[in-house]
Amino acid sequence: MTAPSGVPHPFADAVKPLVDAMGGEMVAPGQARGDDVVLSWEGEPVVAVRLPHLADSLDHLLADLQRRHGPLPALGRKEKQQVVRILEERGAFSVRHGVETVASALGVSRFTVYNYLNRENAARDDS
């Protein structure tokens, strides 16, 4: 996003990595829709952030984890458990068909994903 001078606004530049990591989109404040978040700097709107739909967010999270860890189906059991833990912390399983989507991405069954989740919850309850 650019300031009235036509120069990119430093605030927009600063929040861009966060918006990209969330899978959002930056639009001009004048193009904001009702559910967009308009961010201001010193009282002036600078950029509007269009957040992704939850299902798109899960796909974005999985793609990000694949970039960080490599092909998800090729991961070992411990690494897959860690991925499931990260996804649970980020709310991936509150999305409709979240378990099925994650199971498919990891190359495991839904039953296995549920086992990973149960194991993690049991460990948390014991602490």
Side-chain angles (χ1 to χ4, degrees):
M1 299 291 108
T2 58
S5 64
V7 177
H9 196 285
F11 181 68
D13 291 343
V15 298
K16 185 170 181 359
L18 176 62
V19 173
D20 290 345
M22 294 183 326
E25 176 186 359
M26 294 172 55
V27 298
Q31 297 175 336
R33 298 191 299 227
D35 57 345
D36 292 343
V37 179
V38 177
L39 303 176
S40 298
W41 181 261
E42 297 181 349
E44 295 296 319
V46 174
V47 64
V49 177
R50 188 161 294 149
L51 299 172
H53 296 283
L54 285 176
D56 296 337
S57 294
L58 179 53
D59 291 339
H60 189 78
L61 282 171
L62 289 167
D64 181 55
L65 287 166
Q66 183 147 316
R67 276 192 300 277
R68 292 175 190 224
H69 299 281
L72 298 178
L75 296 176
R77 183 176 53 87
K78 290 238 183 254
E79 291 83 11
K80 287 181 181 182
Q81 289 171 339
Q82 181 181 11
V83 165
V84 168
R85 181 176 35 252
I86 291 166
L87 290 168
E88 182 182 28
E89 288 171 0
R90 294 189 180 174
F93 301 108
S94 63
V95 176
R96 183 179 170 142
H97 302 297
V99 170
E100 291 86 349
T101 301
V102 170
S104 176
L106 292 174
V108 298
S109 68
R110 288 184 355 230
F111 180 75
T112 298
V113 172
Y114 283 118
N115 278 341
Y116 291 168
L117 288 168
N118 289 337
R119 182 174 293 123
E120 183 63 29
N121 290 334
R124 200 175 311 137
D125 290 344
D126 288 344
S127 9

